Structure formats: C-alpha cells, structure tokens
Amino acid sequence: MTSKPLTRAVVRMKAMRAKQANAKVLSRRGEFNILWAIVAVVGIALGLFLIFYVFHGAMPSLGASNTLTVTAEELGGVLVVNMKAMGVSAITVEAINLVPSGSSASSCTAYLNGNTYSGITSLPASGLSITLNPGDTLSITCTSITGSPTEVEVMTTSGTNVAPIS
C-alpha cells in the first residue's frame, strides 16, 4: 500500500515540473515578443525621425537650389551682362531691366551657351521667355549705353535678381 501513494506523488511531481517548464517557455516566449515589439517601435520612431530630419533639411534646400547668378560690368562704354543658371531645374528669364529706369542700351548682341541668340537687341527687354537649364549661360553685350545705369534687374519665374554694374 505504500507504493501507490508514492507513485501518485511522483506522477504529480512530474506533471508539476512539466507545467513549470511549460510556464517558463511561455513566459520566455512572451518576453521575446515584448522585446521584438519594443525594437519595432523604436525602429519605426527612429525611421520617422530620420525621414523628417532628411526631408526637413532637404526640401528647403531643393527649393532654393534653383538660382540665377547675374553679373554686370561696364568697360569703355561696353556693357556686359552674364547670367548662369544653377540648380536642379530650369529657370525662365522674363525681362531684363536697367536701373534707374530711363536708362537704356542698344546695339546688343546676346549669346546663349556661346551661340548667337537673336531675341535680345536692346535693353531693357521685356516679354522674354528664355529657358535656362542648369549650367546654361546667357551673355549680353551692348555698345550704346544711355542714362548711366547702375544696376541690372533680371526678372525670372522664381523672382528678381539684381546685379550692380561694376
């Protein structure tokens, strides 16, 4: 009679150990899932931060990266205006004015990327539609200047660029 209660106790002990081992596995599996959830949340948050940081820094610079560099120079009665487009997209030149208003220049020759451009024969010039792609240059040389201009204004689709005549 003593063997039956001992057998039952051994079986119960084995069953309890199996339940404890099962409970440990389940708890470890739960911990593992929680760790992966934490890693995923941190990864998503870091990814969103990087996307915000990159686009917040990149978008304003992309918008400002389309620029037109304008220089003007007068030497011996000859006015030379040089424009160079820089950036990532095209810029359209709409008008070129001399400041103060009333100043003018005639007998002008224009060169677009080194080739003669017949669209500009005098300054001020309005109603233009000259598309300059990044890297393109537009040079204007005028020989007859009246009114002592001090600046050249170049109006584009993205704004007005002013260059002092040196």
Side-chain angles (χ1 to χ4, degrees), residues 78-156:
V78 177
L79 177 64
V80 178
V81 180
N82 292 314
M83 293 170 247
K84 182 169 179 111
M86 295 181 285
V88 293
S89 63
I91 296 173
T92 303
V93 176
E94 297 175 336
I96 303 169
N97 298 319
L98 297 175
V99 177
S101 61
S103 301
S104 64
S106 58
S107 301
C108 297
T109 306
Y111 300 94
L112 181 59
N113 294 326
N115 301 317
T116 305
Y117 180 78
S118 61
I120 300 172
T121 57
S122 64
L123 294 179
S126 60
L128 301 174
S129 181
I130 304 169
T131 302
L132 299 175
N133 292 312
D136 287 352
T137 58
L138 177 64
S139 298
I140 303 168
T141 305
C142 300
T143 55
S144 298
I145 304 167
T146 58
S148 300
T150 57
E151 292 180 338
V152 175
E153 278 184 347
V154 179
M155 296 181 192
T156 66

Side-chain angles (χ1 to χ4, degrees), residues 22-43:
N22 218 4
K24 285 182 182 178
V25 169
L26 288 176
S27 69
R28 285 185 189 149
R29 186 178 300 155
E31 289 174 6
F32 189 71
N33 288 341
I34 289 171
L35 288 175
W36 272 112
I38 291 170
V39 168
V41 169
V42 168

